[in-house]
């Protein structure tokens, strides 16, 4: 649907889609008697259903000042429709495939904190002690095993949006652009890079100790390896970012006649200026990859027309 309102001062479009995809390449399990465990066949099915919205408004427009706004919004619901061999519950928490769920999920144990002093008896039932990672017993059977794994989150956002505002006043122009990704999860090795045995100097970590009863990181222990470390790496990573701010000035034609120029504009631009997110250690847009950071950039430019 395309529309325009108030003499086209407000215009936009709404798109709805329901895309069904089949014949995806997927490994098919064969009987052991064949001598081959799997063979690739075109048998996977997925569905993507969602809506995309764009909106443009001319808020103010006169001889000396104008203000325009552009808004985009997209929401997509992806799910696996069928798998030839049923759900694939992989040992790797990033590789499980479940019918009715998105193709990219984290299927893992659910960390609910750290076992604290005073919980020794309850922790011992699960082979743990104060200072160890506390995992949810989802089926309440008194033990932690593969049946207590669950969907922690999906790796693709539930919705994305962008908002751009353009202002002009006489020769000046200003653009401010924001972007948002909401509902996505990441798994970053950054959060697992701590000295679990406590034998060497490492990053400053909020470890559990009797004097520091935190629920963030388990107690360092030189004689014991930490279990369920992957649960420490998973974070909800929604964010809103100031993607770009550009301020420019276009010189009037009267000032350019002596220079024999048709146009001259100078500008300064800042990119990735600030991110609003619960994650403070790195840019969530990088999906937790810390060796490829997204830099904050400042650009000064000059546009010349002869």
């Amino acid at each position: 649907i395309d529309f325009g309102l108030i003499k086209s001062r407000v215009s936009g479009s709404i798109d709805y889609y329901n895309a069904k995809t089949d014949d995806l390449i997927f490994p098919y399990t064969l009987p052991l008697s064949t001598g081959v465990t799997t063979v690739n066949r075109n048998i996977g099915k997925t569905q993507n259903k969602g809506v995309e919205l764009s909106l443009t408004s001319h808020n103010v427009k006169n001889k000396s000042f104008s203000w325009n706004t552009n808004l985009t919004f997209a929401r997509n619901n992806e799910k696996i429709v069928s798998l030839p061999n049923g759900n694939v519950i992989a040992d790797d928490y990033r590789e499980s495939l479940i019918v009715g769920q998105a193709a990219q999920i984290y299927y893992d144990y659910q960390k609910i904190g750290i076992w604290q002093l005073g919980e020794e008896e309850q922790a011992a039932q699960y082979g743990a002690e104060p200072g160890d990672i506390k995992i949810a017993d989802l089926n309440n059977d008194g033990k932690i095993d593969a049946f207590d794994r669950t969907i922690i989150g999906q790796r693709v956002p539930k919705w994305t949006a962008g908002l751009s505002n353009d202002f002009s006043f006489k020769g000046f122009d200003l653009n401010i652009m924001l972007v948002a990704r909401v509902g996505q999860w990441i798994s970053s090795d950054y959060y697992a890079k701590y000295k679990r045995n406590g034998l060497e100097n490492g990053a400053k970590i909020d470890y559990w100790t009797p004097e520091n009863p935190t629920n963030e990181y388990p107690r360092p222990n030189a004689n014991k390896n930490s279990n369920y470390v992957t649960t420490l790496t998973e974070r909800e990573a929604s964010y809103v970012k100031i993607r770009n701010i550009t301020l420019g000035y276009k010189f009037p034609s009267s000032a350019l006649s002596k220079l024999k120029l048709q146009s001259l504009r100078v500008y300064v631009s800042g990119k990735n200026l600030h991110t609003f997110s619960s994650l403070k250690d790195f840019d969530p847009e990088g999906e937790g990859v810390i060796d490829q950071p997204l830099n904050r950039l400042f650009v000064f430019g000059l546009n010349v027309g002869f």
Side-chain angles (χ1 to χ4, degrees):
I1 300 175
D2 298 316
F3 61 89
L5 307 171
I6 317 175
K7 297 181 179 180
S8 295
R9 289 191 62 178
V10 178
S11 61
S13 64
I14 301 174
D15 293 283
Y16 171 81
Y17 58 89
N18 185 2
K20 299 179 181 180
T21 306
D22 56 16
D23 291 337
L24 295 172
I25 298 176
F26 197 85
Y28 181 72
T29 302
L30 298 177
L32 294 177
S33 59
T34 64
V36 180
T37 56
T38 60
V39 61
N40 286 334
R41 294 176 59 183
N42 295 93
I43 43 182
K45 294 182 180 180
T46 61
Q47 180 184 40
N48 281 273
K49 182 167 58 176
V51 62
E52 296 178 350
L53 168 68
S54 65
L55 187 67
T56 299
S57 65
H58 303 282
N59 307 312
V60 179
K61 187 175 182 180
N62 54 46
K63 291 182 179 180
S64 60
F65 178 73
S66 68
W67 170 27
N68 300 322
T69 299
N70 290 279
L71 171 68
T72 60
F73 174 86
R75 182 179 180 89
N76 178 62
N77 181 23
E78 176 197 35
K79 68 177 181 180
I80 299 172
V81 175
S82 68
L83 295 169
N85 308 311
N87 294 337
V88 178
I89 306 301
D91 292 334
D92 189 329
Y93 66 103
R94 298 162 295 189
E95 301 296 333
S96 295
L97 300 173
I98 300 175
V99 173
Q101 300 295 328
Q104 300 182 58
I105 60 174
Y106 294 119
Y107 191 77
D108 202 357
Y109 299 98
Q110 183 179 0
K111 173 179 174 284
I112 55 176
I114 302 295
W115 288 107
Q116 302 294 327
L117 294 175
E119 298 180 320
E120 289 86 351
E121 183 176 348
Q122 185 182 1
Q125 296 178 7
Y126 297 98
E129 58 184 347
D132 291 343
I133 297 175
K134 187 176 184 180
I135 299 298
D137 181 8
L138 296 180
N139 58 2
N140 295 312
D141 63 354
K143 60 182 179 180
I144 302 298
D145 54 23
F147 295 103
D148 293 303
R149 297 169 68 190
T150 187
I151 298 171
I152 303 299
Q154 62 183 42
R155 294 158 63 183
V156 294
K158 294 181 178 179
W159 60 267
T160 61
L163 178 66
S164 178
N165 281 280
D166 291 282
F167 305 89
S168 66
F169 178 70
K170 296 183 178 181
F172 291 93
D173 60 86
L174 174 65
N175 171 264
I176 302 174
M177 183 178 181
L178 308 177
V179 295
R181 292 169 64 92
V182 176
Q184 65 180 3
W185 281 68
I186 64 170
S187 175
S188 175
D189 290 339
Y190 171 86
Y191 291 112
K193 289 183 177 179
Y194 69 100
K195 301 299 181 181
R196 304 172 199 169
N197 55 20
L199 294 178
E200 301 172 353
N201 290 331
K204 184 178 180 180
I205 295 296
D206 188 15
Y207 289 113
W208 183 95
T209 67
E211 298 76 25
N212 182 47
T214 179
N215 279 298
E216 290 300 316
Y217 280 85
R219 173 184 56 185
N221 192 328
N223 301 314
K224 183 178 181 181
N225 292 325
S226 296
N227 296 321
Y228 314 114
V229 173
T230 57
T231 64
L232 301 174
T233 70
E234 298 151 359
R235 296 289 194 281
E236 202 275 339
S238 300
Y239 67 86
V240 176
K241 172 181 285 191
I242 303 176
R243 170 75 75 201
N244 180 78
I245 296 180
T246 299
L247 175 64
Y249 178 73
K250 185 176 181 180
F251 289 85
S253 300
S254 58
L256 302 177
S257 58
K258 294 181 180 180
L259 299 176
K260 297 183 179 180
L261 298 177
Q262 291 186 352
S263 63
L264 177 62
R265 177 177 177 267
V266 295
Y267 66 91
V268 58
S269 179
K271 302 181 184 297
N272 297 324
L273 294 177
H274 186 73
T275 302
F276 303 92
S277 171
S278 60
L279 298 180
K280 305 302 180 184
D281 302 300
F282 50 80
D283 191 332
E285 188 176 6
E287 298 182 352
V289 180
I290 60 176
D291 56 353
Q292 300 176 14
L294 297 176
N295 297 321
R296 181 181 291 117
L297 302 176
F298 295 96
V299 178
F300 299 87
L302 183 69
N303 300 125
V304 182
F306 297 94

